Amino acid sequence: QGIGSPSVYHAVIVIFLEFFAWGLLTAPTLVVLHETFPKHTFLMNGLIQGVKGLLSFLSAPLIGALSDVWGRKSFLLLTVFFTCAPIPLMKISPWWYFAVISVSGVFAVTFSVVFAYVADITQEHERSMAYGLVSATFAASLVISPAIGAYLGRVYGDSLVVVLATAIALLDICFILVAVPESLPEKMRPASWGAPISWEQADPFASLKKVGQDSIVLLICITVFLSYLPEAGQYSSFFLYLRQIMGFSSESVAAFIAVLGILSIIAQTVVLSLLMRSIGNKNTILLGLGFQILQLAWYGFGSEPWMMWAAGAVAAMSSITFPAVSALVSRTADADQQGVVQGMITGIRGLCNGLGPALYGFIFYIFHVELSELPMPESPSGGSVVAQYPLQQNSIIPGPPFLFGACSVLLALLVALFIPEHTNLNVRSSNWKKHCGSHGHPHSPQAPGEAKEPLLQDTNV
């Protein structure tokens, strides 16, 4: 039953191998996508990614609840297998490849199972560091794999890249079968297969129904929705946009991903900690949203490759927003409400992963951002021969969805201005609880005592 005792390193290796395999396919996927859907490339890309995201959002709570009963190892195997199942179909049948990608969203929730696996084997004070290690591994797997895939595809052909990615996916499956130990051994009993699963556990909207119960949590959730919706759409279409509209070569796209990944890791570790200590939690969120507005506006109006590189550096700085929001949530929520509030944020992000790509694809379609031909392959002299793009000649805004995203993040920034600092929230909530408990008039004799007690509780802050 696995090698050694369960550890975070087992989860890290599973994540790294899965996303390294998909990272290799970055350049071949962009080519196959345009060859399969030459007339409505961005629309079909948005629909494929949108269906996958919505299915993942709907299925994640059910798979999480089932893994609580049947164990993590079997569901790690299930999610990795179905997430990587489309890879060999890329060269066999592109239509089946994209169809299976859409349907695989039902099981494409490896992160949910991995986080549950990590939670089983770590103490509460170790959990944030362990989650950070898993997230950093995900970013690291995408730093070099697109560049390797682009190089192998140019030298040996895309078929070798697909074979290599399939082999790495099989290696990941074998690693789970052989090396990953179960983190819930005491619950792996034959009788547990008949254990009931409540609909509340499997309801993906259960956490979202609680959003309106607290005005502060409502403001935070609206901020997350308005800022992550364009981010999810951008992730689904931006590399295709660079390849097809901006004329980037496969190597340039891979280099862009690598540089962006490295800068994001630096921003989320060194820069984030410095900002949190110097300007505070809320101001860090506002700064991150400001960077995101600048980045999306630059993507929307940029018409030259150097503008994309400059905006990419700004995009790395905007990645500090979500960790800062998670920290604010953990500080403002009560100790017994941490899981509920974090679940709301995760649910909203999952919903955005489905709505964002479909929205971006639809906006590209409305503004007729399509191409009639692919960029030509590199010339024998080594230079990139790029086809003429009629879009750049008759369009004022090269990237309309990015401009829409900038407006959405601007609304998120305005909403975030009304989020109070966590220290003020603690004082206010303490006063609110005291007044609710006494049911007295503010000018009653008990009022001075009630006013002093929250101050005494918060003096250590």
Side-chain angles (χ1 to χ4, degrees):
Q1 294 294 325
I3 299 175
S5 58
S7 68
V8 178
Y9 300 106
H10 289 101
V12 162
I13 293 174
V14 170
I15 288 292
F16 181 84
L17 291 176
E18 177 181 332
F19 289 97
F20 190 89
W22 275 107
L24 290 172
L25 297 178
T26 302
T29 297
L30 301 182
V31 176
V32 172
L33 183 66
H34 185 82
E35 290 176 349
T36 309
F37 309 106
K39 292 185 178 180
H40 304 299
T41 309
F42 288 97
L43 177 64
M44 294 307 300
N45 177 64
L47 292 178
I48 291 166
Q49 299 296 331
V51 169
K52 180 180 178 181
L54 284 175
L55 290 177
S56 299
F57 167 71
L58 295 173
S59 65
L62 176 60
I63 291 181
L66 290 174
S67 71
D68 288 337
V69 177
W70 295 347
R72 315 293 185 201
K73 179 171 180 173
S74 57
F75 280 91
L76 273 179
L77 187 64
L78 189 70
T79 55
V80 171
F81 175 80
F82 280 98
T83 303
C84 297
I87 291 178
L89 295 175
M90 176 182 284
K91 287 300 179 182
I92 299 174
S93 173
W95 281 92
W96 277 106
Y97 170 70
F98 291 113
V100 175
I101 284 181
S102 301
V103 179
S104 70
V106 176
F107 297 101
V109 289
T110 308
F111 263 106
S112 300
V113 183
V114 164
F115 281 169
Y117 187 95
V118 171
D120 293 338
I121 58 179
T122 55
Q123 301 295 326
E124 189 171 348
H125 65 278
E126 305 171 336
R127 208 158 289 159
S128 59
M129 185 178 295
Y131 286 167
L133 181 61
V134 173
S135 300
T137 302
F138 163 70
S141 68
L142 296 179
V143 168
I144 59 172
S145 55
I148 295 175
Y151 172 77
L152 293 177
R154 181 169 59 85
V155 177
Y156 301 104
D158 290 343
S159 297
L160 177 67
V161 181
V162 174
V163 171
L164 180 60
T166 305
I168 293 176
L170 291 175
L171 176 63
D172 197 10
I173 293 172
C174 294
F175 177 79
I176 297 173
L177 279 172
V178 176
V180 175
E182 176 57 55
S183 61
L184 286 174
E186 69 278 3
K187 293 188 177 182
M188 294 296 290
R189 302 287 187 270
S192 67
W193 289 83
I197 299 294
S198 66
W199 283 111
E200 185 177 358
Q201 290 175 286
D203 183 8
F205 299 97
S207 61
L208 301 183
K209 294 174 184 175
K210 303 173 185 176
V211 167
Q213 295 179 0
D214 188 304
S215 59
I216 307 304
V217 174
L218 178 62
L219 289 174
I220 294 174
C221 289
I222 292 175
T223 302
V224 171
F225 180 81
L226 291 175
S227 62
Y228 194 72
L229 184 68
E231 188 173 341
Q234 172 188 325
Y235 284 157
S236 69
S237 61
F238 185 65
F239 301 127
L240 178 65
Y241 178 80
L242 289 179
R243 185 86 168 90
Q244 305 294 336
I245 304 300
M246 300 308 299
F248 274 44
S249 64
S250 300
E251 290 78 8
S252 298
V253 171
F256 188 93
I257 297 173
V259 172
L260 192 60
I262 293 172
L263 292 177
S264 298
I265 293 173
I266 296 174
Q268 294 183 50
T269 53
V270 179
V271 177
L272 179 63
S273 61
L274 292 175
L275 289 176
M276 294 283 277
R277 286 197 300 265
S278 58
I279 65 175
N281 205 324
K282 177 183 174 181
N283 291 330
T284 302
I285 295 174
L286 297 177
L287 183 64
L289 292 174
F291 277 120
Q292 189 176 359
I293 294 172
L294 177 60
Q295 161 227 331
L296 288 168
W298 212 335
Y299 283 157
F301 287 110
S303 57
E304 298 292 334
W306 70 266
M307 296 180 181
M308 299 296 104
W309 284 97
V314 179
M317 283 299 301
S318 69
S319 65
I320 64 176
T321 303
F322 184 69
V325 167
S326 299
L328 180 65
V329 166
S330 66
R331 292 178 182 180
T332 54
D334 294 331
D336 58 346
Q337 296 294 313
Q338 290 287 332
V340 175
V341 180
Q342 294 288 356
M344 294 179 196
I345 303 299
T346 304
I348 289 174
R349 282 169 63 92
L351 191 61
C352 291
N353 282 330
L355 298 178
L359 180 63
Y360 264 50
F362 184 65
I363 296 176
F364 272 125
Y365 175 72
I366 290 178
F367 283 87
H368 306 289
V369 182
E370 299 293 345
L371 288 177
S372 58
E373 57 182 331
L374 270 168
M376 297 172 62
E378 287 76 7
S379 64
S381 60
S384 177
V385 182
V386 183
Q388 293 297 318
Y389 299 99
L391 173 74
Q392 303 295 335
Q393 300 171 5
N394 56 20
S395 176
I396 300 175
I397 305 176
F402 303 111
L403 200 59
F404 169 82
C407 296
S408 177
V409 180
L410 179 61
L411 293 177
L413 179 65
L414 296 176
V415 173
L417 288 172
F418 293 95
I419 300 175
E421 292 286 354
H422 65 278
T423 51
N424 296 334
L425 177 63
N426 288 337
V427 174
R428 194 187 71 166
S429 63
S430 300
N431 279 309
W432 182 80
K433 290 178 182 177
K434 288 291 179 183
H435 283 289
C436 287
S438 63
H439 298 288
H441 194 270
H443 299 287
S444 62
Q446 291 83 3
E450 291 167 4
K452 289 177 183 176
E453 189 172 352
L455 294 177
L456 291 174
Q457 290 175 349
D458 290 332
T459 49
N460 60 339
V461 179

